Amino acid sequence: MEYQQLMQRVAVLGAAGKMGSGIAALLSQELVRLKLQYRLEHLRLTLIDTNEAAFPGLLAYLADQARRAAEKQIVTLRGFYSDRADLVDNGEIIEQYIADLLSLVRVDTDLRVVAPATMVFEAIVENLEVKLKVFKQLAESCAKETYFFTNTSSIPIGLISQRTDLVGRVIGYHFYNPPIVQKLLELIVPETTRKELVGLAVELAAHLRKTVVRSADVAGFIGNGHFTRDGLYGLNLAERLVADRGLTLPEAVVAVNRVTQDFLLRPMGIFQLLDYVGIEVYQSILAIIAEHGEQPHLRSPLCDRMLAAGIRGGQHQDGSQKDGFLGYEKGRPARVYDLESGTYRTIDEALLGKVDGLLGPLPSSALTWKALSRDGHAGERLAAYFGKLEALDTLGASLARDYLKNSKVIAETLVQLGVTPTVDDVSAVLKLGFFHLYGVADFA
Ligand code: NAD
């Protein structure tokens, strides 16, 4: 079938969730483009979620994203609406665009309405049994031509397709959070996937202006394959600093966060990233990789203890950060959790002084990820920076160098496991999806 035919009836499952709502917004904009540019009729975007209460917010989000998209492409929209003499100023065109987009959308809690879909995007909870149940129901109710795109972060696609009788018709379409902003799309293609589906997935990604990096169908894929192991290294390092250097756990967490953010010039430290993803989500991804990748050593007792204490991280509905290893003020770490007392401790001068005293100074305090990410000559500055890091004889520099080396070892492990043929793909995923400024092998 042609792209335009396949885009006739699209469904998103888990559409009210973090990822599902972003995927729904992207698809709504692509469908309304097809409608306006090619005058296609009968296009339909069906949004399914069990959380009915979230539908008004979801529709408001789609309208808001549509408005932003419309404001950026007003000239194109004027062309689409050139036969509408009644639409004169920009505001009228934008309102019409939003109305046209929303007219394609239906929300529902009942999975049965997905039966006529030509393409289904699944973004429900990361739980194999729940996903299998939903896919089995759709395998029975949908046509044999329907294609399925799953946003799973870690579950092998082949496993889902085999267990649901959908072999050849499921593809991994792994958006990054938030889907509307993030450029990276990891594409996971089991060997049995129909060629037509692969072509369609690539064509759609181009229309959504995403950059595709292909990953083999190995649990965790490239992005989470690296992130989970990188996180585990940070978690274990914090525990090592407690055992070997006499730090309290809160001090060690702040120290490792500082090494991974400020010494390594990453956008956030590893503990902030763990909180961003959510400690529970992280543990479940790790468990899936451990089980399906046959790597039982991938476990974090420290995360188990945090979860047992009821500390989960993750984000609120409005996208703001929940407290996890770190406590947040206006999105910035301001406190650190103390498992012993069960309370958060302020990250004050005394705590920072102790951590900095142990780690030593940064190679260059003037360089930050933020400044470098806007710098046209970042490459040269990074090389000079890591040259200085190499020469520094401090604990902070030595931990940072070891962290870099471990990141490269992780990338090599992913190559050995057959997740990707080259470490360059790992670098591409880290740069695009995690906003690293350099590749895994550049300075390790
Ligand atoms: P989420 O909890 O924000 O959203 C899940 C949504 O699915 C919720 O709205 C929930 O009500 C709905 N839901 C649950 N069971 C359902 C069912 N049976 N039928 C219909 N709706 C159902 O989760 P999320 O973070 O958006 O993650 C969704 C998927 O995307 C997971 O597979 C996750 O691993 C993956 N993913 C998440 C991220 C991320 O950073 N959050 C990034 C990439 C991929």
Side-chain angles (χ1 to χ4, degrees):
M1 258 197 274
E2 293 286 309
Y3 174 71
Q4 290 187 5
Q5 262 176 303
L6 281 160
M7 291 292 285
Q8 288 276 327
R9 283 177 172 266
V10 180
V12 180
L13 314 180
K18 273 197 296 287
M19 299 305 289
S21 55
I23 295 167
L26 287 168
L27 291 170
S28 66
Q29 290 169 24
E30 174 58 0
L31 287 181
V32 77
R33 178 187 75 83
L34 292 173
K35 175 185 161 86
L36 297 176
Q37 187 168 351
Y38 301 106
R39 313 278 155 188
L40 295 188
E41 295 296 330
H42 312 300
L43 296 169
R44 172 66 45 90
L45 180 62
T46 303
L47 304 181
I48 302 288
D49 203 288
T50 43
N51 183 6
E52 192 169 5
F55 288 156
L58 170 60
L59 292 172
Y61 175 72
L62 296 188
D64 183 47
Q65 291 304 323
R67 183 179 305 281
R68 288 163 193 250
E71 282 165 356
K72 285 192 207 140
Q73 46 167 339
I74 197 74
V75 176
T76 309
L77 294 188
R78 278 203 172 276
F80 290 162
Y81 290 117
S82 56
D83 57 344
R84 289 283 301 271
D86 57 319
L87 302 177
V88 180
D89 58 40
N90 286 355
E92 287 166 333
I93 288 181
I94 290 169
E95 291 311 320
Q96 185 61 50
Y97 173 81
I98 297 169
D100 280 338
L101 178 142
L102 291 177
S103 75
L104 306 177
V105 177
R106 297 284 178 281
V107 288
D108 213 306
T109 54
D110 189 347
L111 202 54
R112 282 176 299 188
V113 304
V114 175
T118 41
M119 302 210 289
V120 177
F121 291 78
E122 176 275 312
I124 65 171
V125 57
E126 186 75 350
N127 175 307
L128 179 61
E129 295 313 317
V130 179
K131 287 201 197 280
L132 289 178
K133 190 167 166 235
V134 165
F135 275 114
K136 275 182 191 156
Q137 190 175 332
L138 293 176
E140 280 175 23
S141 62
C142 292
K144 293 285 172 240
E145 291 74 36
T146 304
Y147 286 133
F148 298 89
F149 295 68
T150 171
N151 195 46
T152 176
S153 301
S154 55
I155 303 169
I157 314 303
L159 185 76
I160 296 175
S161 59
Q162 279 153 22
R163 301 263 296 266
T164 51
D165 248 354
L166 287 171
V167 172
R169 292 160 59 199
V170 187
I171 201 161
Y173 219 54
H174 187 214
F175 289 92
Y176 275 64
N177 185 18
I180 202 95
V181 177
Q182 288 261 44
K183 285 277 158 253
L184 177 64
L185 184 76
E186 252 181 300
L187 184 69
I188 304 106
V189 184
E191 276 174 21
T192 48
T193 310
R194 288 190 198 163
K195 287 226 159 33
E196 182 184 61
L197 172 53
V198 184
L200 171 70
V202 170
E203 187 171 354
L204 175 62
H207 287 301
L208 300 181
R209 292 193 206 87
K210 299 297 173 198
T211 306
V212 170
V213 176
R214 275 177 83 144
S215 165
D217 190 20
V218 177
F221 320 123
I222 299 175
N224 281 315
H226 185 281
F227 162 59
T228 46
R229 291 167 172 91
D230 200 60
L232 203 51
Y233 186 83
L235 288 156
N236 292 339
L237 176 59
E239 296 206 272
R240 250 188 4 252
L241 290 179
V242 172
D244 299 350
R245 301 274 171 176
L247 293 186
T248 62
L249 186 58
E251 289 163 351
V253 165
V254 171
V256 174
N257 206 58
R258 182 144 169 79
V259 166
T260 45
Q261 176 164 17
D262 300 335
F263 282 76
L264 293 185
L265 298 171
R266 290 182 176 182
M268 54 174 88
I270 194 67
F271 280 97
Q272 192 179 350
L273 185 56
L274 287 163
D275 288 344
Y276 179 76
V277 171
I279 301 170
E280 199 166 23
V281 174
Y282 172 75
Q283 276 293 69
S284 72
I285 296 175
L286 201 59
I288 290 168
I289 298 178
E291 185 187 344
H292 298 286
E294 291 173 27
Q295 311 231 313
H297 61 284
L298 296 178
R299 265 201 74 235
S300 167
L302 182 51
C303 285
D304 288 338
R305 285 167 64 203
M306 293 294 282
L307 294 177
I311 305 295
R312 300 198 143 66
Q315 286 147 34
H316 293 286
Q317 211 65 41
D318 66 359
S320 61
Q321 182 61 48
K322 287 187 193 166
D323 290 348
F325 283 101
L326 299 162
Y328 296 84
E329 295 288 344
K330 297 189 179 141
R332 300 171 70 89
R335 297 176 300 276
V336 55
Y337 191 68
D338 182 355
L339 269 164
E340 266 179 34
S341 65
T343 56
Y344 281 90
R345 183 177 158 189
T346 304
I347 304 176
D348 55 15
E349 296 283 317
L351 194 157
L352 284 176
K354 182 161 182 200
V355 167
D356 285 347
L358 188 79
L359 296 178
L362 289 163
S364 157
S365 55
L367 277 193
T368 60
W369 174 86
K370 201 169 175 185
L372 279 170
S373 60
R374 295 175 186 154
D375 184 338
H377 300 285
E380 293 155 34
R381 290 191 211 284
L382 281 166
Y385 175 89
F386 282 105
K388 282 191 202 163
L389 184 83
E390 190 61 41
L392 262 187
D393 185 18
T394 61
L395 180 67
S398 133
L399 293 177
R401 288 192 296 267
D402 288 350
Y403 220 102
L404 273 182
K405 285 194 191 99
N406 188 63
S407 170
K408 187 176 166 206
V409 168
I410 294 170
E412 288 163 355
T413 305
L414 295 177
V415 172
Q416 275 159 23
L417 290 171
V419 182
T420 171
T422 101
V423 295
D424 292 346
D425 284 351
V426 182
S427 295
V429 166
L430 293 180
K431 286 182 188 170
L432 276 167
F434 293 82
F435 301 107
H436 286 196
L437 297 170
Y438 50 90
V440 282
D442 291 352
F443 305 111

